[in-house]
């Protein structure tokens, strides 16, 4: 049976289609007695409003979209919570899209979001130079880059964290604990967040009078717990004489996978290998050996990006793009407890 239309509801309630539309969109503008008749007809006919048609008629969508790199990473869950807080106050829905570090999938989502004419797109992108991002803006869809510092030559707001400073914080912490044989675990190096953290790590080595090349590099294919476990196998495969006594991981999932592998093999953390992560997701503090990490203000990132997006969506040409950069903070826990070493 075809679903009831707005015309069926109007006929059943004895009112115009416009009155039914008012009941759906501006109920306070309709007399209570009339509103009750329409609501009774809607319930009796089982009418379901067509949100797409309504939004098309209104000329603008009631939906925001956030396109993330890896939906299984709690970092993005926390950023999304911040975005949702703003979407809720604006009575908007939020589409969460996951590229899973796949550039083709990111393209497909950007194409779909362009066709959907969503109110605005927030993105932590695989490729910030993706021409589909520019095309979205050319279609009048505001775009805000999340978790990314300013991009030269691009005309949009950005909200990010100073990941270079974050890398410096991590390595300085290990150096101050007496470590000199330090490894960086992270990848792919195409992800700007990873390369910025590595840049900061190398800079901290040089600031301490060491060579950046003294920092060992264990590259991973992605930033997952499984990648962290595999990196642990490679770390323990190094000759004991040259094996790093401390590791800075590009994010907490890598660090938790490394921690799991080392603990399973009876390697003591931090006494044999100290570990520092990045993000301060909820599981960092809850780990078997609470994880030292570099904290990012995750929900604040999401709230700030969403507010910038709404400002642009509401004010159009009167909106002025902003580039917000938050500073990370080191959260020292047991996984790198300062152990004075001669190493
Ligand atoms: O998405 C990869 C990583 O970059 C996340 O863990 C988070 O640190 C982001 O900044």
């Amino acid at each position: 049976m075809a679903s009831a239309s707005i015309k069926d509801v109007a006929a059943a309630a004895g009112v115009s289609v416009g009155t039914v539309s008012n009941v759906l969109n501006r109920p306070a503008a309709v007399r209570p007695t009339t509103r009750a008749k329409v609501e009774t007809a809607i319930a009796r006919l089982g009418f379901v409003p067509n949100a797409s048609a309504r939004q098309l008629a209104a000329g603008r969508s009631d939906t925001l979209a956030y396109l993330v790199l890896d939906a299984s990473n709690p970092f993005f869950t926390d950023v999304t919570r911040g975005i949702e807080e703003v979407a809720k106050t604006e009575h908007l829905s939020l589409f969460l899209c996951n590229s899973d570090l796949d550039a083709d999938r990111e393209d497909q989502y950007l194409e779909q979001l362009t066709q959907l004419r969503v109110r605005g797109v927030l993105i932590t992108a695989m490729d910030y130079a993706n021409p589909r991002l520019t095309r979205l803006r050319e279609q009048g869809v505001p775009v805000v880059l999340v978790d990314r510092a300013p991009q030269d030559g691009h005309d949009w707001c950005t909200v990010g964290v100073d990941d270079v400073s974050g890398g410096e914080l991590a390595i300085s912490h290990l150096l101050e604990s007496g470590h000199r044989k330090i490894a960086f675990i992270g990848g792919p190096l195409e992800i700007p967040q990873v390369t910025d953290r590595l840049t900061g790590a190398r800079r901290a080595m040089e600031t301490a009078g060491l060579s950046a090349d003294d920092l060992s590099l264990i590259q991973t294919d992605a930033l997952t717990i499984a990648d962290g476990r595999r990196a642990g196998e490679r770390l323990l495969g190094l000759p004991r004489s040259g094996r790093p006594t401390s590791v800075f991981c590009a994010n907490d999932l890598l660090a938790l996978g490394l921690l799991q592998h080392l603990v399973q093999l009876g390697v003591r953390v931090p006494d044999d290998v100290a570990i520092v992560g990045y993000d301060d997701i909820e599981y960092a503090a809850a780990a078997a050996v609470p994880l030292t990490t570099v904290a990012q203000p995750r929900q604040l990132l999401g709230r700030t990006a969403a507010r910038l997006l709404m400002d642009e969506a509401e004010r159009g040409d009167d909106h002025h793009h902003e580039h917000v950069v938050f500073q990370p903070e080191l959260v020292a826990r047991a996984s790198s407890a300062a152990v004075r070493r001669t190493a």
Side-chain angles (χ1 to χ4, degrees), residues 110-305:
L110 289 173
E111 192 57 38
Q112 288 167 343
L113 294 173
T114 304
Q115 292 170 23
L116 284 172
R117 292 286 197 285
V118 293
R119 184 74 67 88
V121 174
L122 303 117
I123 182 167
T124 303
M126 284 287 291
D127 172 10
Y128 290 99
N130 191 325
R132 284 178 168 77
L133 285 172
T134 308
R135 190 155 155 250
L136 261 171
R137 291 191 47 73
E138 288 165 355
Q139 301 284 340
V141 178
V143 173
V144 175
L145 303 189
V146 183
D147 190 31
R148 193 64 196 124
Q151 294 293 298
D152 299 333
H154 284 291
D155 176 25
W156 36 43
C157 293
T158 62
V159 179
V161 173
D162 183 346
D163 284 326
V164 173
S165 296
E168 288 184 283
L169 282 174
I171 297 299
S172 300
H173 170 70
L174 292 170
L175 290 169
E176 285 155 15
S177 302
H179 293 284
R180 289 299 177 271
K181 286 189 275 185
I182 306 174
F184 175 87
I185 291 179
L189 294 180
E190 295 77 33
I191 295 182
Q193 292 90 323
V194 176
T195 46
D196 283 356
R197 291 164 203 176
L198 176 56
T199 299
R202 293 167 63 87
R203 187 176 297 174
M205 297 291 284
E206 291 169 343
T207 304
L210 303 165
S211 162
D213 295 337
D214 290 342
L215 183 70
S216 310
L217 177 59
I218 298 179
Q219 276 200 26
T220 58
D221 297 331
L223 294 155
T224 65
I225 287 176
D227 288 289
R229 284 199 295 268
R230 283 190 286 270
E233 289 167 16
R234 291 167 58 191
L235 180 77
L236 297 184
L238 297 172
R240 189 177 284 275
S241 59
R243 186 187 300 171
T245 62
S246 58
V247 179
F248 166 38
C249 295
N251 80 346
D252 285 347
L253 295 183
L254 284 172
L256 293 171
L258 171 66
L259 175 64
Q260 183 187 43
H261 183 75
L262 296 182
V263 167
Q264 276 174 348
L265 295 186
V267 175
R268 297 173 304 160
V269 176
D271 294 353
D272 297 330
V273 178
I275 303 176
V276 176
Y278 203 104
D279 290 339
D280 198 18
I281 59 176
E282 181 185 2
Y283 305 118
V289 180
L291 185 65
T292 292
T293 185
V294 178
Q296 298 200 71
R298 302 172 307 287
Q299 293 196 25
L300 179 57
L301 275 168
R303 280 197 301 274
T304 305

Side-chain angles (χ1 to χ4, degrees), residues 36-54:
K37 281 198 299 184
V38 171
E39 287 167 348
T40 301
I42 286 173
R44 186 159 53 79
L45 294 173
F47 169 71
V48 177
N50 180 330
S52 302
R54 174 169 53 79

